[in-house]
Amino acid sequence: MAKVVVFGTELVAELAHYYLTNDSEHEIVAFTVNKEYIKEDTFCSLPVVPFEDITTIYPPAEYKFFAPLSERKMNMVRAKVYAEAKEKGYSFISYISSKATVLTDQIGENCFILEDNTIQPFVKIGNDVVLWSGNHIGHHSEIKDHVYFTSHVVLSGRCVVGEYSFFGVNATIRDGCTLGEGTLVAMGANITKAKTDSWSIWKGNPAVKSEVSSKDINL
């Protein structure tokens, strides 16, 4: 059990509060955001404190950190908060739902893995990864840092997912694919190519590469 400070005061932070309170041994003691974004002194009946002052109020030797933020700017917003909290000296928890089927122990920190995910044997999941509900992660696949799966995505076996990638609802990736850094797979798209270029967008069935870079969009 850890005493945990959660970054955020929006819907995902509220969900984190629900999951950690009802399905983990961890105790959330406070929320934190940058000072300019504090609107109320409390959130979910717990204190909200400035991120700039967090180490003084909740020192990293005594408290752990959790930043389950959204996919904004291809996961870069979440990655930035993760890096800044790490620089402040915090270690992180991960939340893995008790209702997920998890057949690997190779899961990094600051991961948010919700109910009904199936994670097969020999899968490797990096740090700062979000798996929303109902995904299938095939055997011997590797998901690198700062990746976001929405729901009902099928990642077949022996795939490699590059950092900062994003998967829309009902996307499907065939076995043995290597997805470059920053790949965006749109809702319902089916990837059949062996490799994707870094910072590319794929749409359709079979998926076709867009002329727009995923660096140029704001999710």
Side-chain angles (χ1 to χ4, degrees), residues 120-137:
Q120 291 191 322
F122 309 109
V123 167
K124 297 178 182 179
I125 297 177
N127 301 316
D128 195 37
V129 171
V130 176
L131 300 180
W132 218 252
S133 56
N135 300 295
H136 171 91
I137 310 300

Side-chain angles (χ1 to χ4, degrees), residues 74-76 79 145-147 162-166 181-183 199:
M74 291 298 292
N75 304 295
M76 289 187 180
D145 296 349
H146 317 304
V147 170
E163 294 182 347
Y164 301 103
S165 293
F166 172 86
E181 180 184 33
T183 295
W199 303 104

Side-chain angles (χ1 to χ4, degrees), residues 179-205:
L179 299 163
E181 180 184 33
T183 295
L184 188 157
V185 184
M187 182 185 300
N190 289 352
I191 297 286
T192 58
K193 302 286 186 182
K195 292 184 179 182
T196 67
D197 297 331
S198 296
W199 303 104
S200 58
I201 299 175
W202 295 79
K203 301 178 180 180
N205 180 13

Side-chain angles (χ1 to χ4, degrees), residues 11-150:
L11 293 180
V12 178
E14 186 177 23
L15 282 169
H17 180 267
Y18 176 89
Y19 283 113
L20 289 175
T21 300
N22 291 283
D23 189 37
S24 84
E25 297 180 349
H26 301 308
E27 177 190 356
I28 298 178
V29 296
F31 293 87
T32 184
V33 292
N34 294 99
K35 190 177 298 184
E36 62 185 299
Y37 296 110
I38 295 179
K39 299 175 183 177
E40 304 287 345
D41 293 335
T42 62
F43 182 75
C44 295
S45 301
L46 292 170
V48 178
V49 298
F51 187 51
E52 293 85 348
D53 304 329
I54 191 69
T55 56
T56 301
I57 305 169
Y58 296 102
E62 300 175 31
Y63 298 90
K64 292 188 182 292
F65 208 87
F66 191 43
L69 299 174
S70 73
E71 73 285 0
R72 287 175 54 202
K73 296 186 178 179
M74 291 298 292
N75 304 295
M76 289 187 180
V77 172
R78 190 174 72 257
K80 181 175 183 290
V81 172
Y82 171 75
E84 289 175 352
K86 212 164 179 61
E87 287 176 4
K88 290 177 184 289
Y90 287 98
S91 56
F92 294 76
I93 67 159
S94 282
Y95 168 76
I96 303 171
S97 172
S98 64
K99 295 177 175 60
T101 300
V102 180
L103 302 176
T104 182
D105 59 359
Q106 298 186 73
I107 297 176
E109 61 184 13
N110 202 51
C111 292
F112 197 27
I113 299 175
L114 303 189
E115 67 276 3
D116 298 328
N117 279 285
T118 295
I119 303 173
Q120 291 191 322
F122 309 109
V123 167
K124 297 178 182 179
I125 297 177
N127 301 316
D128 195 37
V129 171
V130 176
L131 300 180
W132 218 252
S133 56
N135 300 295
H136 171 91
I137 310 300
H139 65 92
H140 293 91
S141 288
E142 180 179 2
I143 300 171
K144 298 190 177 179
D145 296 349
H146 317 304
V147 170
Y148 197 107
F149 282 69
T150 55

